[in-house]
Amino acid sequence: MTTPQRTTIPDTIRTNGATPNPWWSNAVVYQIYPRSFQDTNGDGFGDLKGITSRLDYLADLGVDVVWLSPVYKSPQDDNGYDISDYRDIDPLFGTLEDMDELLVEAHKRGLKIVMDLVVNHTSDEHAWFQASKDKNDPHADWYWWRPARPGFEPGTPGAEPNQWGSYFGGSAWEYCPERGEYFFHQYSKKQPDLNWENPDVRHAVYDMMNWWLDRGIDGFRMDVITQISKTIDKNGKLPGEPGSEIEDYPVGPEGYSSPFPWCSDGPRVDEFLAEMRREVFEKREGFMNVGEAPGVTPARNEHITDPANGELDMLFLFDHVGVDQKPSSKWDVVPFEVKNLREKMAGQQEAVKDTGWASLFFCNHDQPRVVSRWGDDSTEESRVRSAKAYGLLLHMHRGTPYIYQGEELGMTGAHFKSLDQYRDLESLNAFRQRVEEAKIVSPENMMDALELISRDNARTPMQWDASTYAGFTAPDAAVEPWISVNPNKAEINAASEFDDPDSVYAFYKKLIALRHERAVIAAGDWHLIDADDEHVYAFTRTLNAEKLLVVANLSGRTVDLPRESAELVATGVAEPDVLISTYGASHAVVSLANGELDPWEAVAIQL
């Protein structure tokens, strides 16, 4: 394990409620999507050697932790989130020796490596699942197997055990002729859900996790970990199964009911996570674990991340990144409003004000680029300003910030116009199901939704320079990248921003440094002000006698400074009081004196 190369927060300052404070209290995490980060062998896919080659870039940026999306052996049905061997590296990314080299080189630079871990489900090509097809094998009960509905021929429409639909489209049940039964999959039909009710499953997972930690990694980000516990009746039946005591919800317009209410934050989640903590992490130091948490409320986040409960360090909540989507479907989009984002993030902050911890993110491999989603990428100026505004807003909250590759450059969404440009399984399945099968939306409207929401918006290659393939792979590579490079690579790339003091990259370096230097940013109390303003998101941060004001105009128009914020700066602000601003300190001083904020103007001020 490595030692952080930065000032740690004194134990006299409360962070998550643990004593001593965890090392990650003022850390910043950088997420890498390996297949889109850096290709070194010209096959069109990023690889581990590519990540190693860019470690100096990450060290210069100042981040502390690198989170890798899955690099395990996989058929790549869902880009590696379908794992066929947990203890090997997929040849697409390299070898175990390449992984060992990455660990050594990262640790030399004071960077920790956190691996993505997918244990709600495996690939259908995993040895466990292959063995599970045999009812007499010891693995027979390692997945959710069910017989066909009585009175129906197995494998025919209507024979599925209940009416659940997959989040990736179609039924959540797939018939297996070898076993003569159906298996349950919340996601792709090549991603069967593991049966965590079986203790043998759980301990096999814990053994694997210990194997990786013994090898030298520094922790895990756990994919959809709060979906490992399913709601079942006293006889072990799922809702809606024949004979189940639990009635399922009605089917929706796409022809299925949703497993989400029954499989998210289920009845045994706390038990399973506490067991994992004991079996894997309890006797170790220097690690970090964070769980992706579908269905978890801010109040539950407080419980799960309270160190006294011995579960997880952090969770990713999703209520704030759904503010432009209807509850019925992520593809039914609604206009973004500042008040909705503010309400959700305030709820997350308030929930952990006494104990527990917050994860801070707008972007990741499953979320579109924030600058295109809620900002404005229509002009270079508005792109830069809005990228900085959302960066400042996020990083001034209490918790641990996560930067997704390219976010620090202000990379934009893909803006694909043709369906054949998309690679994402979820997006392609959704188009087929909603447009071609259920016929509940027009092709044009669905393409608009994909342009705004599709996961592929975050997955275009990292833009290192202005060359043919943006430096992701060699300009003369025989194979094109697995997904198209964004055409704006000439205007947005690391090479052009690296030494530019006004770039988004330079702005993020300053945000990271401020968190390292000022405990008030990482751990100070958070208090919302001007809660009803239409355009401005404002709050204070307080630690003992130190107090900061953060105001962010999340619009492309000049607006009045809200009342409570104006009262706090009524006596005037000098340039040394401005910690960071999207326009610069001198401009911020004038704006505040005039009682207004220019388009996308955001500022953090020492009061």
Side-chain angles (χ1 to χ4, degrees), residues 209 213 220 276-277 279-284 287 289:
M209 295 172 72
L213 287 165
F220 296 100
M276 178 190 292
R277 187 86 175 199
E279 296 292 328
V280 179
F281 300 108
E282 198 165 78
K283 296 180 181 179
R284 299 181 185 272
F287 64 85
N289 57 47

Side-chain angles (χ1 to χ4, degrees), residues 87 142 198-208 275 279:
R87 302 194 189 202
W142 281 41
N198 186 332
D200 291 339
V201 170
R202 303 198 302 271
H203 288 286
V205 169
Y206 305 153
D207 287 346
M208 173 269 296
E275 181 182 68
E279 296 292 328

Side-chain angles (χ1 to χ4, degrees), residues 566-586:
E567 290 174 354
L568 288 172
V569 297
T571 58
V573 173
E575 287 190 27
D577 298 326
V578 179
L579 298 184
I580 188 168
S581 168
T582 54
Y583 279 74
S586 60

Side-chain angles (χ1 to χ4, degrees), residues 376-385 491-492 497:
D376 181 1
D377 65 3
S378 63
T379 70
E380 177 65 5
E381 181 178 6
S382 64
R383 179 191 69 84
V384 171
R385 298 287 188 215
E491 296 78 35
I492 308 170
E497 295 192 30

Side-chain angles (χ1 to χ4, degrees), residues 508-529:
Y508 267 77
K509 281 190 68 171
K510 189 168 184 179
L511 285 171
I512 295 166
L514 283 170
R515 178 165 294 265
H516 289 166
E517 296 162 3
R518 291 178 174 261
V520 65
I521 295 174
D525 291 339
W526 182 94
H527 178 67
L528 181 66
I529 61 174

